Amino acid sequence: MPRKAQTESVSDLNAAPGGAAAVDRALSLLSTFQAGDEALTLAQFAERTQLYKSTVLRLLASLEHARLIRRQDDGRYALGMEIARLHGLYAASQSLDGIVLPVLRALATATGESAAYHVRQDQGDSWVRLCQFRVDSSHVVRDHVRAGDLLPNDRGAGARVLIAFGPEAERPRGAKERKLYEAIRAQGYCALVGDRTAELAGISAPVFRADGSLAAAVTLTMPTHRYDERYVEPVRAAAKELSGQV
């Protein structure tokens, strides 16, 4: 059996009541980073947290898997890309939630379906679709996407809108796909049944910044059996209301 530490760790001294000790310890590793720290060694983590190096290594493996920590070539550990994603989501939500959420709530109330605000999240040479805001349907049967979830960038009404009104160079070159995106731009919205998954339908419309560039997509999702073309206009109206404000 491992011998008991003579000195309580930082996480033990600041444990969350009713929380999980392993989570407290993992978070204590992230909290060790201070201003000016580009990366930390295993010894620095152990010294600052008062945890055994073997314990630190196991926790770092989990944090690295979650992209919260990144191991460098020199063996030191730096903050990972997931930290940047969460920071961007937090910063954007603090400035936009008072604008976007009331519109989504009104849309969800008017239609009874789930309303979301999707944006592009760049990841190196590619991108994913980020559900930045979400208001759930009151129906028991609905999709269960949450704010902060990453979704496919090539399927679903929201993804199609982000492609259609995004950079021209990223649009597919095939004749069938090209015709689809031309139609979406011409009508100003996208309505698809069974595109991301066979059980779901979606209606999405673009949100533009004041300079005319694409900011996001307002998307209404529902089970296929509840799809209703009458929801197109409320979605377009919501997107138009947000355009120029974001």
Side-chain angles (χ1 to χ4, degrees):
M1 294 179 63
R3 62 186 178 85
K4 183 177 177 61
Q6 296 180 350
T7 304
E8 286 190 291
S9 69
V10 172
S11 61
D12 290 334
L13 293 171
N14 297 282
V23 175
D24 287 335
R25 290 172 181 171
L27 294 176
S28 74
L29 294 183
L30 295 177
S31 298
T32 60
F33 283 91
Q34 302 169 6
D37 287 338
E38 294 183 2
L40 298 176
T41 64
L42 176 61
Q44 285 175 309
F45 278 119
E47 179 183 0
R48 294 184 185 184
T49 61
Q50 293 298 300
L51 292 169
Y52 290 123
K53 289 182 180 179
S54 58
T55 300
V56 172
L57 275 174
R58 291 195 299 271
L59 295 171
L60 286 172
S62 293
L63 292 172
E64 187 176 3
H65 179 72
R67 300 196 306 164
L68 293 165
I69 287 288
R70 174 175 53 86
R71 190 175 189 273
Q72 300 185 154
D73 292 338
D74 62 6
R76 296 188 302 159
Y77 295 86
L79 294 174
M81 287 299 296
E82 183 66 5
I83 298 290
R85 186 187 77 83
L86 292 173
H87 175 266
L89 179 60
Y90 172 78
S93 67
Q94 294 305 298
S95 59
L96 287 179
D97 59 354
I99 298 173
V100 175
L101 283 175
V103 175
L104 294 185
R105 291 190 189 104
L107 178 59
T109 298
T111 61
E113 303 298 347
S114 299
Y117 185 86
H118 295 155
V119 298
R120 288 171 55 108
Q121 179 75 44
D122 292 326
Q123 291 189 341
D125 296 331
S126 62
W127 62 279
V128 292
R129 178 166 49 119
L130 170 67
C131 179
Q132 190 170 8
F133 298 101
R134 161 93 177 190
V135 175
D136 287 334
S137 165
S138 59
H139 291 288
V140 175
V141 179
R142 59 176 176 79
D143 66 319
H144 290 273
V145 174
R146 298 171 298 176
D149 283 354
L150 299 177
L151 302 169
N153 69 354
D154 61 346
R155 299 186 309 280
R160 304 291 188 181
V161 163
L162 293 177
I163 293 172
F165 294 92
E168 184 176 356
E170 295 182 356
R171 296 170 196 158
R173 300 298 183 184
K176 182 178 179 181
E177 292 284 287
R178 188 169 62 249
K179 185 176 181 180
L180 169 64
Y181 292 112
E182 287 174 354
I184 293 171
R185 288 194 300 277
Q187 65 191 14
Y189 68 92
C190 176
L192 293 171
V193 175
D195 190 44
R196 177 163 64 88
T197 181
E199 295 80 12
L200 293 177
I203 302 169
S204 187
V207 176
F208 298 102
R209 300 184 182 91
D211 63 4
S213 62
L214 179 68
V218 166
T219 306
L220 194 71
T221 57
M222 66 222 73
T224 55
H225 69 272
R226 292 207 304 264
Y227 175 76
D228 192 328
E229 288 186 359
R230 291 176 297 177
Y231 296 158
V232 169
E233 285 311 311
V235 172
R236 296 187 68 185
K240 183 177 181 181
E241 182 178 351
L242 288 171
S243 292
Q245 298 190 68
V246 297

